[in-house]
Amino acid sequence: MRLTKHAHACVTFTDGDRTLLIDPGTFTPNAADLIARADAILVTHEHFDHLDETALRAELAKRPGLTVHTTAEAAATLGDQAFAVSAGDRIEVAGFHVTVHGEDHALIHADIPRVRNVGFLVEDRVFHPGDSYVVPEAAVETLLVPTSGPWTKFGEAADFVRAVRPGRTVQIHELMLSELGRNSAARFLGADGLTGVPLENLAPGASTEV
């Protein structure tokens, strides 16, 4: 299975001729193209940097067989081809086995209401947490680690990695960081930092086998 990192929190999984897309948001410049090439789509939560609603609704209208699995709140905005999932669910999408973990977005501030957020474990190997550091109740080989945003903190990210205990980590949700910031994240959260696990920094469009 191949993981391709796109801008911000968006990734695709490919296996043969099957493609699964997660979190095509407005911070991902080629979101519409990725949506057009996906066989199925997962969205962790309703925030615009994870969900380009305009592009997704347009593609759903073109392809009646395309499905989206997401939170109930996000599904309600996308129509009949969107299905609500929650923690504990197990689904098969485009031939990929996916389990759902977590319920809420990480706290930004007490004055900002928290929205629902679900993480997706793909093929019992790769975990995309969305905007949360909730630890899945499952073994994880590859962990996608958010490193920038109004809710993130390196100390909490380090504890997240330590708790999950993955074999490898890949940096996501890093768009708000400069190159220096991304390299700093790799030092703080990497093999010689707080976690003992290398934090890979894939450029948008770069791929790796998982």
Side-chain angles (χ1 to χ4, degrees):
M1 182 171 70
R2 194 158 190 81
L3 165 71
T4 302
K5 167 76 173 67
H6 303 285
H8 201 51
C10 183
V11 300
T12 51
F13 294 92
T14 54
D15 188 358
D17 60 355
R18 298 176 293 122
T19 300
L20 174 64
L21 174 65
I22 301 182
D23 279 6
T26 59
F27 285 3
T28 304
N30 59 333
D33 181 57
L34 295 172
I35 292 168
R37 291 189 278 117
D39 295 306
I41 298 169
L42 306 176
V43 175
T44 60
H45 65 288
E46 63 199 71
H47 286 162
F48 62 87
D49 57 324
H50 295 254
L51 169 59
D52 186 332
E53 186 177 332
T54 299
L56 189 48
R57 288 178 67 89
E59 189 64 25
L60 289 170
K62 294 177 186 176
R63 285 198 284 161
L66 181 63
T67 60
V68 182
H69 289 78
T70 183
T71 63
E73 292 80 2
T77 71
L78 295 172
D80 294 341
Q81 292 162 250
F83 301 91
V85 293
S86 57
D89 286 349
R90 296 174 177 271
I91 57 176
E92 294 283 337
V93 286
F96 293 88
H97 175 66
V98 179
T99 57
V100 184
H101 304 264
E103 295 183 357
D104 294 318
H105 192 286
L107 180 67
I108 300 173
H109 188 275
D111 289 349
I112 299 176
R114 297 170 77 176
V115 301
R116 293 291 184 186
N117 178 98
V118 291
F120 298 108
L121 180 61
V122 179
E123 293 291 345
D124 296 317
R125 280 181 268 169
V126 185
F127 185 61
H128 190 311
D131 281 5
S132 173
Y133 290 141
V134 170
V135 177
E137 296 180 355
V140 174
E141 293 179 10
T142 301
L143 177 64
L144 309 185
V145 182
T147 58
S148 76
W151 60 275
T152 60
K153 183 178 179 180
F154 280 1
E156 293 178 357
D159 288 341
F160 176 53
V161 176
R162 288 178 174 183
V164 176
R165 301 176 64 186
R168 63 190 292 203
T169 60
V170 175
Q171 188 169 184
I172 64 166
H173 212 283
E174 81 294 359
L175 194 62
M176 293 183 181
L177 297 178
S178 65
E179 182 179 0
L180 176 62
R182 293 190 296 273
N183 290 336
S184 294
R187 287 196 298 273
F188 275 108
L189 303 176
D192 297 324
L194 296 169
T195 71
V197 182
L199 179 65
E200 301 173 40
N201 185 18
L202 297 177
S207 300
T208 184
E209 292 294 324
V210 291

